[in-house]
Amino acid sequence: MMKLSILRHTLSLIFICCLGFFIYSDSLSHSFSSMDDRGLINTNKDVIKGNNIHKILSEPLAGFNRYYRPLQIYSYKLDYLLWGLNPFGYHLTSVALHLINACLLYVFLFLLFNSRGGPFFAAVIFVCHPVFTEPVNYIASRSDLLVGTSFLLTIIFYLLNQRSGKKVYLVLSYGAFLFSLLSKEVSLLLPFFILFLERLTRKKYSATTIYFILALVFILFRSFLVTFKIHEMPSVYFFLTLPKALFLYMEAFLFPFGLQKKWCLSLVTSVFDKDFFIPAFIISGFIYVIIGIRRYSGVCSFGLAWFLFTPLALTLVLSQLWPKGVMPFSYAWLYVPSIGLFTMLAYSAQIALARSQNRKLVFAAISIIIPVFSFNTMVMNKKWSDPSFVSYEKTILAELPENVSLSIQATNKGYRLLEEQKTQQAEQEFRRALALLATNHKALNNLGIIFLNQRRFDQALFYFKMSNSIKPFDPNTHYNTGLVYLMQNDTRKAIVEFEKTVKLDFYHFDAHYNLLILYARENMEEKALRELSAIKYLDPAFDITKMNEKNN
């Protein structure tokens, strides 16, 4: 009987993997799909440098100074070691992670329900669901796949520990939780879900406290490495838009047709707006269901709470990292919250399969949903091979308020003119960008560069300081400020700005180079040697004798 059960589980998992690989096989031929993909891989020295394993753990995500995702970079680094810069290998890893997650979902739901039918149905829908084409095809969304893996492993090992009492499973669960924290910050909600499961099974388990302790230690560690400040509380309009975001997630889960890449949503500005009251009514109904069905099914309420609160928490955190006037939004962020919906789906299927008169209905639903979803997923895969599908204009500018969108377009036009050395026209575009949006830090920084090149240092310093006040974590603006002080022979202030630059971006070679010169000039030998070591790490072919000749 045991062998028959193992055989059935094995066949189920093989079917899930074969179906998933067949659906996503076309994505293996895709190139890197966006500037994010290329920026995180092709030009990311954390990925292509050989001996920086420990360094990745101690710094924010390259190019995204307020994100901490070391496991994501480690996965890219492994891909680079195996495949170089061949996109095939990176897409293969993403597909493999999705298949693994589908299998883990099956195992998690089986442990939860102690039955195979419902979990198998949910896992098959998971692997072929069109909404997940974004995290699978968009390599920059690797963190969503990784956090899904470690999220599920954490709970699976926890449930195995509860079943068997073996402490080794608990240790493995803690380890998986740590990996989850290194994948994405949404993992901080995991201890609460485990606490929910503890209440669900009516077991008091003191070891659950360890998850909260680990989460607290991670928060302290992360705050030491990556500065995160709440600049201002989200506006009323932001909260009015939350029901719209949740509704779009539910819509994408239930009716995943005609999906488009999104990065943000325009804000809802009135309670009388249909984008508020219709979604709010539906979400209120879901909350009512959570309260109502808890007395009948704790598992179902657990799934609904998982779906509702995970994207809410993620959106609130990301709102501090995104420009004001929009709500951050991405279908890739549904990856982990959807596990709650699949838990509900498995529960519903399990109840239906338990009644013989409903089995034909369940099998009929499966025979329709799987081919339809699979075909739609393959269509979406082809869309992801088209660069225009993830273009900046389609995904972000279209959702921004008109003045913000026009300001960004003017900045981009000014930057192109600056590259063509049409300085006067570029200055006009940057000033037009600021007239539309006074907080456009990129326009301010570029105006500073124009005045720096003209050696009009006071004006340059004014614009760089303005840019820094709006976005204090931009290493390039600090570097430009340091250049002004360097040209004014204010060594002390120049050093301060260059030090800020390398703290925010260790791979900024020019900042290290200038620090080396300034430290040597000020007879700060220990610091000069430190910078020389950093320069040689960044460029092993660097010749200090040529630098001495250049400066003599």
Side-chain angles (χ1 to χ4, degrees), residues 263-264 322-326 391-416 426 429-444 446:
W263 271 124
C264 57
W322 278 69
K324 305 305 172 187
V326 295
S391 69
Y392 188 71
E393 288 74 16
K394 281 188 177 181
T395 59
I396 295 182
L397 291 184
E399 296 289 344
L400 292 171
E402 185 179 11
N403 69 308
V404 179
S405 178
L406 290 172
S407 179
I408 292 173
Q409 291 179 59
T411 303
N412 292 341
K413 184 178 178 181
Y415 185 74
R416 289 193 296 270
E429 289 299 323
F430 294 137
R431 292 193 182 280
R432 188 166 74 88
L434 288 173
L436 290 161
L437 183 67
T439 56
N440 187 331
H441 73 279
K442 289 187 177 180
L444 290 165
N446 280 301

Side-chain angles (χ1 to χ4, degrees), residues 109-150:
L109 295 173
F110 174 77
L111 291 173
L112 205 58
F113 299 118
N114 202 26
S115 181
R116 195 173 62 91
F120 176 71
F121 175 65
V124 170
I125 299 299
F126 178 90
V127 82
C128 69
H129 203 292
V131 79
F132 300 137
T133 53
E134 179 169 339
V136 176
N137 284 279
Y138 186 45
I139 298 172
S141 282
R142 177 73 62 81
S143 61
D144 295 290
L145 299 172
L146 291 168
V147 76
T149 305
S150 47

Side-chain angles (χ1 to χ4, degrees), residues 443-513:
L444 290 165
N445 185 52
N446 280 301
L447 278 172
I449 291 171
I450 288 174
F451 290 124
L452 175 61
N453 292 336
Q454 295 173 350
R455 304 186 70 82
R456 295 161 66 183
F457 299 132
D458 290 341
Q459 292 95 323
L461 203 55
F462 171 79
Y463 284 109
F464 289 144
K465 285 184 175 181
M466 285 285 290
S467 180
N468 271 324
S469 68
I470 295 166
K471 192 175 181 182
F473 306 106
D474 185 354
N476 292 322
T477 309
H478 283 292
Y479 177 75
N480 291 333
T481 307
L483 287 179
V484 175
Y485 289 131
L486 184 62
M487 292 180 181
Q488 291 180 324
N489 295 317
D490 193 335
T491 302
R492 185 182 60 82
K493 289 183 179 179
I495 286 175
V496 169
E497 293 301 326
F498 292 142
E499 285 177 341
K500 288 179 181 178
T501 304
V502 297
K503 185 177 180 181
L504 291 167
D505 180 9
F506 174 80
Y507 293 104
H508 202 298
F509 183 90
D510 290 339
H512 284 293
Y513 183 87

Side-chain angles (χ1 to χ4, degrees), residues 486 513-514 516-518 520-521 542-552:
L486 184 62
Y513 183 87
N514 283 321
L516 172 60
I517 294 172
L518 294 176
R521 191 180 293 169
F542 176 78
D543 188 347
I544 192 171
T545 58
K546 290 184 178 179
M547 184 196 82
N548 290 333
E549 290 172 3
K550 183 180 178 181
N551 287 285
N552 285 333

Side-chain angles (χ1 to χ4, degrees), residues 235-244 268-271 275-276:
S235 67
V236 174
Y237 300 145
F238 180 89
F239 290 102
L240 288 177
T241 313
L242 282 174
K244 174 184 174 182
V268 176
T269 57
S270 171
V271 294
D275 283 339
F276 171 76

